Amino acid sequence: MPELPEVETIKIGLQKKIKDKQIKDIIVNICKIIKKPSLEEFITKIKDKKIKGIDRRGKYIIIYLDSEDKLVVHLGMTGLLIYPYDNKITEKEINPKHNHLIFTFTDNTQLVFNDVRRFGKIFLVSNIDDVESIAKLGVEPLESYFTEEIFIQVLNKKKNCKIKSFLMKQEFITGLGNIYANEVLYRSNIHPLRIISSLNKKEVRNLHQQIKLVLVEAVKLRGSTVADEAYRDTDGEKGKFAEKLQVYAQKGEPCLKCGRSIEVVRIEGRSSFICPKCQKL
Ligand SMILES: [Zn+2]
């Protein structure tokens, strides 16, 4: 599932590629992807509009049009935005049968929304807070305002929560999912089931630093495509941070710090990867 680094990578790709392009036509193959407004209204309001800019909020991509409307895209589990779309793309294991939405611009290039699992969602709204849950999103960990002090304030809102579930809840810090929550906890030597109030000052400081470091490095390497996962950037290329993962999907591999085997435990239905020696409960 795309997390902050993957969505940020797609945002940067779109900023370089589709800004100032004018939408000539849209083909919608699967209507349920469009959550708001009706399909007819969606098409009428998008046709002939120009792309003014692209932004990100949490795991949502926001595309500003030269009207009052914004196109908001959530990639769900396997959503991809590919540009430009041409025949070479199928060589990159992207199956055209999952092209659910195709935007054609006036220069005849195309942006395709491809989604194997179909959990992706697209909205057209004049106010982004009209999109379910955007209004409830927490702080952006890559913004400069996300200081250690702000991190402590946010942690204090949920002192009795287990740290990994807290990191993955979008209403506190937005953008972290299972991959990056596992990575930051391992790199901070904190067990995912630790209660927030049990963390000492040094652990909180480490965790804050690791959240920033891991996300910045992951964005630099254009996100993570782990094993056979679907994620691709706008060029259809895999994310290279998968090669830098130290704990996620590393079951049985030696811990880089102590040599013990990485273990996997199920926490709230998700796999948590830990070093049992470096991350003690
Ligand atoms: Zn270890």
Side-chain angles (χ1 to χ4, degrees):
M1 186 169 183
E3 303 178 28
L4 188 151
E6 290 76 36
V7 181
E8 180 71 13
T9 300
I10 291 169
K11 178 198 93 178
I12 296 168
L14 294 177
Q15 278 174 338
K16 285 184 195 149
K17 295 164 154 192
I18 65 162
K19 195 172 169 277
D20 298 324
K21 297 219 178 253
Q22 187 175 10
I23 300 167
K24 186 170 80 177
D25 208 1
I26 315 142
I27 297 168
V28 182
N29 293 324
I30 304 282
C31 306
K32 76 159 205 165
I33 304 269
I34 315 281
K35 299 296 175 192
K36 235 184 225 184
S38 67
L39 182 60
E40 281 160 31
E41 202 182 326
F42 181 84
I43 291 175
T44 321
K45 283 187 159 174
I46 278 190
K47 251 191 169 171
D48 302 325
K49 297 293 178 295
K50 264 191 180 169
I51 311 285
K52 253 179 29 184
I54 298 100
D55 209 348
R56 177 189 60 75
R57 178 78 177 101
K59 299 179 194 171
Y60 292 85
I61 290 165
I62 301 158
I63 301 175
Y64 293 88
L65 304 179
D66 64 346
S67 59
E68 57 169 15
D69 293 322
K70 288 106 195 156
L71 194 60
V72 179
V73 183
H74 191 282
L75 300 165
M77 306 272 291
T78 55
L80 306 174
L81 283 164
I82 305 290
Y83 182 92
Y85 187 84
D86 56 37
N87 294 333
K88 282 184 199 150
I89 283 298
T90 45
E91 292 163 16
K92 293 173 181 167
E93 302 155 44
I94 294 160
N95 190 337
K97 94 173 181 207
H98 304 296
N99 290 349
H100 303 320
L101 221 80
I102 302 165
F103 298 88
T104 304
F105 298 104
T106 47
D107 61 1
N108 288 324
T109 57
Q110 292 184 315
L111 171 71
V112 162
F113 179 73
N114 179 293
D115 188 1
V116 176
R117 302 280 305 270
R118 299 184 182 182
F119 287 108
K121 299 174 199 171
I122 295 181
F123 309 80
L124 186 74
V125 289
S126 52
N127 180 354
I128 60 163
D129 284 346
D130 290 344
V131 173
E132 49 164 24
S133 72
I134 284 194
K136 294 182 211 148
L137 291 178
V139 296
E140 288 282 348
L142 282 187
E143 293 294 326
S144 53
Y145 71 74
F146 182 64
T147 57
E148 192 183 326
E149 207 182 333
I150 294 291
F151 182 49
I152 293 169
Q153 279 176 25
V154 181
L155 285 172
N156 283 340
K157 289 184 185 172
K158 205 79 182 169
K159 279 185 176 167
N160 298 322
C161 192
K162 296 177 183 96
I163 188 63
K164 185 176 174 223
S165 5
F166 174 86
L167 290 175
M168 288 174 61
K169 281 189 173 73
Q170 301 302 301
E171 70 252 46
F172 299 110
I173 299 166
T174 181
L176 293 169
N178 201 32
I179 296 179
Y180 298 102
N182 271 297
E183 283 300 309
V184 298
L185 288 169
Y186 169 75
R187 293 172 194 222
S188 316
N189 295 333
I190 297 171
H191 192 283
L193 290 176
R194 288 276 302 279
I195 304 291
I196 288 173
S197 59
S198 79
L199 300 176
N200 65 39
K201 248 186 168 171
K202 197 179 148 210
E203 287 173 324
V204 169
R205 173 161 295 169
N206 268 339
L207 187 53
H208 173 255
Q209 282 172 355
Q210 289 302 335
I211 291 172
K212 292 239 179 203
L213 285 172
V214 168
L215 292 178
V216 166
E217 202 194 338
V219 171
K220 238 184 237 167
L221 294 176
R222 311 178 67 74
S224 306
T225 306
V226 183
D228 58 350
E229 276 179 12
Y231 166 72
R232 299 286 190 281
D233 66 16
T234 50
D235 290 314
E237 299 291 345
K238 295 182 178 184
K240 302 275 188 294
F241 190 73
E243 293 153 26
K244 303 278 177 184
L245 292 171
Q246 295 182 3
V247 76
Y248 182 82
Q250 304 300 309
K251 188 183 170 194
E253 295 296 323
C255 167
L256 296 177
K257 294 177 270 192
C258 77
R260 273 279 287 270
S261 282
I262 301 295
E263 293 178 1
V264 59
V265 286
R266 293 293 282 181
I267 297 173
E268 291 168 0
R270 306 295 298 270
S271 297
S272 283
F273 297 87
I274 56 161
C275 168
K277 200 176 165 199
C278 297
Q279 293 167 278
K280 288 229 156 47
L281 240 190

